[in-house]
Amino acid sequence: MTSRRDFLFTTGLGLGGAALAGFIPGLGTISAATAAELIDPLAPKAPHFPAKIKSVIWLHQDGAPSTLDLYDYKPDIIKLAGKEVPSSFLNGIKTSTQGGVGKVFASNRTWKQYGESGAWFSDLLPNLAKQADKLTFIKSSMTIGATHDISILKLNTGDLNPGRPSLGAWISYALGSANPDLPPYVVLYNGKSEPRAGSVNWNSGFLPAVYQGTAFRPGNSPIFYLERPELRTDVQQRSSLDLLKHLNQVGSAKHPSDTELKARLRSYELADRMQTSAPEAVDISKETEATKELYGLNDATSASYGTTLLRARRLVERGVRFIQVVTGEPDGETEITNWDAHNDLEKNHSVKARQVDKPIAGLLEDLKSRGLLDTTLVVWTSEFSRTPWGESGTGRDHNPWGYTQWLAGGGLKAGYTYGATDALGVQVADKDKAVDTYDLHATVLQLLGLDHLKTTFLNNGRSERPTVVYGKVIKDILA
């Protein structure tokens, strides 16, 4: 005998489904979600229009590298080295980021143009320079804020304050999972500690908790407590999970708006499957020696980051939609943990560039050789960049007003540069071409087949979207 209450909660269509949808945040009416989505919120969903890519590898360079010393060649910095920054370059900006405006500082770099595109690279990135014609540069990037934690949060969620979903969470919500045995959104990092500010940068905000990122730590065991206890059998574990599933379903029926409970129910099942799939996905032991060499695993400085990027490629092969990679400290380093070079930029950037140069170049080459680059988007970015003036005589201050990011992969004009900074690399030269976080997010979503204006979620009566109330697709960089 089915009770009236059971009928209302279990009928996916009709009045029961409509009533249920009214209680679940973000759905509003049953037309906003299929019955399958109510059963499995990570069921694959169709994009708004045909997608150019299937996966994103988001390479966050923690600490803000100086793109003036990597990609943005400015001869005037050399000409004006040791002199005051001309006031004309400072119009319209607040310069109290850290230590005020110092004198122009020129680092000891040599520059060359590479590829048919003629893109400039410094001698810090000899391997990535060979991939020049795969890259799409955005040299007119800007953001708000000049404090690491705040600007990193904005880069990931579009807001300066915690509470909004990360871009990866929005993508998981909009597209679901392409592999039921792995999370659609994975965070990778190298080094001994979790990335700066931790999970606030990959959480689901006001979206249901099931869409948050899953952090895979370094080492052979990517997730804490994933392994089955030694004395526990498969049958015992399955029986426990079945009981938990039943109890959670009963509780979920009584509390349909409790997304944490729904996420927990699904996470138990996913964890069971991931005991096999997750370790296998990040196990690089069967990769060829040539592949390991390609990613720089034979160099102590680049080995841990190279391992992380090789794992990112393996996750792409297994259908993970969004992989967020955060740089950690190189192995054996205690002083240089990130790109934050307020002092001794020469030492800092020499170590950090050696850490990431070969692995990133290897990732691009590997994706291309396997036919994956056409369906994958690689994004190289940071919270902001650094100023042309010196700090403490040997470093650079924070610069949110004008810097370089790049993308590579499907749907882009390869070997193309969009926008520019002024002659000293202080600000975006043409404000009409300024690219903020919201624009970058809108463009990534566009390549995934999602209209950022139509990717919405009803939160406390307000229709929210990934780009808040801003954002435009950078159409000039699209193929």
Side-chain angles (χ1 to χ4, degrees):
M1 174 70 83
T2 301
S3 70
R4 180 173 178 273
R5 174 176 298 202
D6 289 339
F7 175 78
L8 286 173
F9 279 122
T10 57
T11 303
L13 301 173
L15 181 61
L20 177 61
F23 285 105
I24 299 178
L27 298 187
T29 64
I30 193 66
S31 62
T34 66
E37 287 177 76
L38 296 177
I39 297 169
D40 181 4
L42 288 178
K45 306 179 186 76
H48 298 134
F49 43 81
K52 299 290 185 181
I53 59 169
K54 296 178 181 179
S55 299
V56 177
I57 301 177
W58 184 278
L59 305 178
H60 176 64
Q61 307 301 306
D62 180 40
S66 169
T67 54
L68 291 174
D69 296 286
L70 300 176
Y71 314 108
D72 201 8
Y73 179 46
K74 299 297 181 184
D76 283 9
I77 289 180
I78 299 172
K79 295 177 184 176
L80 296 176
K83 298 180 181 179
E84 299 291 336
V85 178
S87 59
S88 59
F89 289 96
L90 306 176
N91 288 336
I93 66 172
K94 295 180 180 179
T95 57
S96 57
T97 55
Q98 291 285 331
V101 180
K103 295 181 179 179
V104 177
F105 169 61
S107 64
N108 185 29
R109 301 272 60 84
T110 58
W111 293 83
K112 283 177 60 178
Q113 289 177 283
Y114 289 83
E116 293 183 9
S117 61
W120 286 98
F121 286 82
S122 82
D123 55 352
L124 286 172
L125 300 172
N127 293 287
L128 187 56
K130 297 174 183 177
Q131 307 294 323
D133 289 339
K134 293 185 179 72
L135 307 186
T136 303
F137 285 101
I138 300 173
K139 293 196 172 182
S140 51
S141 304
M142 53 83 64
T143 189
I144 298 171
T147 302
H148 292 286
D149 286 1
I150 290 175
S151 295
I152 291 172
L153 189 63
K154 181 176 181 292
L155 178 66
N156 290 317
T157 71
D159 204 342
L160 300 174
N161 299 300
R164 290 194 65 85
S166 59
L167 179 63
W170 278 111
I171 291 168
S172 298
Y173 159 70
L175 295 176
S177 175
N179 183 339
D181 296 333
L182 288 170
Y185 176 17
V186 171
V187 180
L188 300 175
Y189 60 95
N190 71 290
K192 299 175 183 176
S193 59
E194 192 176 78
R196 189 196 308 251
S199 61
V200 70
N201 287 295
W202 57 83
N203 70 12
S204 59
F206 48 70
L207 293 177
V210 71
Y211 301 117
Q212 66 191 357
T214 300
F216 280 21
R217 60 179 178 158
N220 296 327
S221 180
I223 301 175
F224 280 122
Y225 313 120
L226 187 64
E227 301 93 341
R228 187 176 68 250
E230 188 175 335
L231 298 179
R232 188 175 178 83
T233 67
D234 286 338
V235 174
Q236 288 173 319
Q237 178 167 291
R238 186 67 259 168
S239 297
S240 296
L241 286 172
D242 288 344
L243 176 60
L244 281 170
K245 182 178 181 179
H246 173 70
L247 294 173
N248 282 330
Q249 284 174 335
V250 172
S252 182
K254 293 180 179 179
H255 307 283
S257 63
D258 187 347
T259 67
E260 292 284 350
L261 185 58
K262 292 177 181 294
R264 192 178 306 122
L265 191 157
R266 192 184 191 284
S267 70
Y268 288 143
E269 293 295 328
L270 178 58
D272 182 43
R273 298 192 299 274
M274 282 174 58
Q275 284 185 331
T276 300
S277 60
E280 185 278 332
V282 299
D283 180 11
I284 65 169
S285 62
K286 295 179 182 178
E287 296 285 346
T288 67
E289 290 305 312
T291 298
K292 294 176 183 178
E293 160 70 19
L294 185 66
Y295 282 81
L297 269 60
N298 61 330
D299 184 323
T301 303
S302 59
S304 61
Y305 188 68
T307 298
T308 303
L309 294 198
L310 182 49
R311 287 176 165 178
R313 189 220 77 204
R314 292 177 62 85
L315 291 172
V316 163
E317 288 179 310
R318 287 154 179 78
V320 176
R321 294 199 190 278
F322 194 88
I323 302 143
Q324 185 172 341
V325 182
V326 185
T327 55
E329 68 270 18
D331 287 345
E333 272 291 336
T334 57
E335 296 180 17
I336 299 173
T337 58
N338 55 45
W339 289 92
D340 197 13
H342 292 281
N343 299 285
D344 202 351
L345 181 138
E346 294 284 356
K347 180 180 179 181
N348 176 285
H349 277 34
S350 292
V351 171
K352 291 300 292 183
R354 184 176 173 185
Q355 179 193 14
V356 306
D357 176 44
K358 192 169 185 178
I360 295 176
L363 173 67
L364 295 174
E365 189 172 334
D366 198 19
L367 289 172
K368 181 69 174 179
S369 69
R370 294 171 187 270
L372 293 170
L373 191 58
D374 289 340
T375 57
T376 305
L377 178 70
V378 179
V379 181
W380 187 100
T381 186
S382 187
E383 57 266 36
F384 38 70
S385 186
R386 313 201 83 84
T387 61
W389 56 81
E391 188 176 3
S392 304
T394 60
R396 298 194 188 281
D397 202 350
H398 299 171
N399 180 359
W401 312 292
Y403 55 96
T404 298
Q405 303 173 94
W406 60 256
L407 303 87
L412 296 170
K413 293 178 183 176
Y416 180 78
T417 295
Y418 178 82
T421 53
D422 58 41
L424 285 183
V426 181
Q427 300 189 63
V428 172
D430 182 352
K431 294 299 190 289
D432 290 336
K433 290 189 174 182
V435 173
D436 202 337
T437 300
Y438 313 107
D439 308 318
L440 181 61
H441 286 191
T443 305
V444 171
L445 292 167
Q446 177 83 8
L447 290 167
L448 284 163
L450 297 171
D451 184 338
H452 73 108
L453 299 177
K454 296 179 180 178
T455 305
T456 58
F457 184 88
L458 192 63
N459 177 46
N460 291 329
R462 175 187 171 92
S463 182
E464 299 278 4
R465 58 183 171 90
T467 50
V468 196
V469 294
Y470 310 99
K472 62 182 184 300
V473 175
I474 316 166
K475 295 181 180 179
D476 286 355
I477 71 172
L478 302 182

